Amino acid sequence: NSPQILIFGVLADAGQSYPNSPSFNGSNGYVGLMDEVQLYSRVISSNEVAFLYNNPGETLAANSAALGAALGASNLLWSTYGDAAWFVETTNTYYTNAAAVESGSLQDDQSSVLRTTITGPGVLSFYWQTMAIDGDDFDLEFDVDGNYQADLSGQNSFVQLSYTNSDSNTHTLSWNANTLGNYGSSPSDAGFLDQVVFTSGTAPVIT
């Protein structure tokens, strides 16, 4: 691909004259205000554009597609932020799965957050685990729209958790690995997530 100059409002090939030069006969460029400009080294999908529009301040993880593939949830858009990013790993997974994702390495009073969104009624299920030194200040918390749902800490095996959404709205789901208690932690403490499944449709009513 030929190098290009990106001008907000118009895309000019690098072979043309520089936009500020007297010989440039294209667009005058963008005139106005800009905020929260994000540059990606790939073409982003319409779903990703909608995600960014509906979640101001969010960014798409550079490894968003890889995170989704490792979780078995490529139909969901994934972002990661905080002091350290979540990443794909293949040594500690649920059952015989090929890959899972792991929280970033943390120091005291830090966090590593993985996030996605779901829309409409349905049931979300996932397997999660923490591997942390007993007594360490390390916690993996699952939140919906910033509201606490459940958490794990210490040493444990993968366990399944389900969340039922009964309305038609869009909800933000986050897995927050953190050491915010600030009373001692180890960089080797980590949270793991695997086999995320969102089954859309009206949740069954049990009577």
Side-chain angles (χ1 to χ4, degrees):
N1 295 332
S2 300
Q4 294 179 324
I5 297 174
L6 178 62
I7 311 162
F8 290 94
V10 64
L11 185 66
D13 186 84
Q16 298 180 17
S17 302
Y18 185 72
N20 290 339
S21 71
S23 61
F24 182 70
N25 58 4
S27 168
N28 290 327
Y30 176 80
V31 178
L33 301 176
M34 295 182 295
D35 193 13
E36 294 188 7
V37 176
Q38 299 181 21
L39 299 177
Y40 293 94
S41 60
R42 60 182 175 85
V43 176
I44 62 176
S45 68
S46 58
N47 286 339
E48 290 174 320
V49 171
F51 172 82
L52 293 172
Y53 178 81
N54 292 320
N55 297 273
E58 286 289 334
T59 60
L60 298 175
N63 58 342
S64 179
L67 291 171
L71 294 168
S74 297
N75 57 317
L76 301 176
L77 297 177
W78 297 90
S79 63
T80 177
Y81 65 97
D83 298 289
W86 285 66
F87 60 92
V88 176
E89 57 84 29
T90 58
T91 59
N92 182 53
T93 67
Y94 171 69
Y95 195 47
T96 59
N97 290 351
V101 299
E102 179 180 348
S103 60
S105 179
L106 302 177
Q107 302 294 327
D108 288 346
D109 198 26
Q110 292 187 333
S111 65
S112 173
V113 183
L114 180 69
R115 179 178 289 182
T116 190
T117 59
I118 58 172
T119 301
V123 177
L124 177 96
S125 66
F126 57 87
Y127 286 85
W128 61 338
Q129 176 190 30
T130 54
M131 296 180 66
I133 299 172
D134 288 336
D136 270 7
D137 167 31
F138 181 86
D139 186 68
L140 177 58
E141 180 176 311
F142 172 59
D143 299 327
V144 177
D145 296 330
N147 299 311
Y148 171 87
Q149 302 295 316
D151 71 320
L152 292 176
S153 61
Q155 292 273 356
N156 52 74
S157 301
F158 273 103
V159 61
Q160 187 181 41
L161 185 69
S162 296
Y163 167 76
T164 299
N165 180 48
S166 57
D167 60 41
S168 58
N169 300 324
T170 296
H171 296 280
T172 300
L173 314 178
S174 58
W175 291 262
N176 183 350
N178 68 81
T179 56
L180 300 181
N182 200 25
Y183 56 81
S185 62
S186 169
S188 63
D189 295 340
F192 297 85
L193 185 67
D194 203 355
Q195 199 164 313
V196 177
V197 178
F198 178 61
T199 305
S200 60
T202 303
V205 177
I206 301 175
T207 59

